[in-house]
Amino acid sequence: HPSVLGTFGMLPVSKMLDTATMNHTFDLIWKTWNWKVTWGWDFPMVAMTATRLGKPKKAIEALLMNIKTNTYLVNGHNYQDERLRIYLPGNGGLLAAVALMCAGYDGCKEKNPGFPKDGKWKVRWEGLQKMP
């Protein structure tokens, strides 16, 4: 797992985290990671980190990455492989990522921060709270 990204994507902002270093780390992982060995929750974690770093295009690309473990079956379950057709951390991660991408996080002033502002996205949501 590219779990080091979770320190900014899944956890609340900390004064101990250097966002410039996290930005470089994100770019390195994005370019060099072996995505074919990831699990379903990795893609939402990457999307949440991209959102907090102000990279909404990468957030979308992470959620739509064409990798087997980033597949959702018609019944909504995140598929991993033949032995593990239901992977709930992938499902929960996707829900958390989309919530963060829509509602934002503490200190975020931007509307729908996880979606590109290129005129192609019409995002509607209700009842979500900002994440810490």
Side-chain angles (χ1 to χ4, degrees):
H1 306 288
S3 56
V4 67
L5 295 181
T7 59
F8 195 49
M10 297 172 75
L11 297 175
V13 175
S14 167
K15 292 179 183 179
M16 295 174 31
L17 184 115
D18 181 342
T19 55
T21 299
M22 181 55 73
N23 200 22
H24 292 300
T25 301
F26 181 92
D27 291 343
L28 179 67
I29 287 172
W30 188 265
K31 292 175 189 169
T32 63
W33 198 260
N34 182 359
W35 294 105
K36 292 181 180 178
V37 300
T38 53
W39 285 71
W41 66 271
D42 293 328
F43 304 98
M45 178 180 60
V46 170
M48 290 192 289
T49 303
T51 298
R52 289 186 192 251
L53 289 173
K55 299 174 184 246
K57 184 177 179 195
K58 291 293 185 201
I60 296 294
E61 288 176 10
L63 293 182
L64 299 179
M65 202 175 285
N66 189 18
I67 303 292
K68 179 175 71 170
T69 55
N70 196 30
T71 300
Y72 289 83
L73 303 176
V74 293
N75 63 6
H77 289 297
N78 179 218
Y79 178 87
Q80 298 305 283
D81 57 33
E82 285 296 319
R83 69 178 173 80
L84 189 55
R85 296 171 184 233
I86 298 173
Y87 186 64
L88 296 178
N91 289 90
L94 178 62
L95 293 173
V98 172
L100 175 76
M101 292 166 69
C102 292
Y105 45 90
D106 288 347
C108 177
K109 307 285 188 229
E110 185 178 350
K111 183 178 178 184
N112 300 317
F115 294 88
K117 308 301 183 266
D118 57 10
K120 296 179 182 178
W121 292 92
K122 293 181 182 179
V123 180
R124 293 177 55 190
W125 55 271
E126 61 182 59
L128 299 173
Q129 300 296 314
K130 287 187 176 191
M131 291 181 71

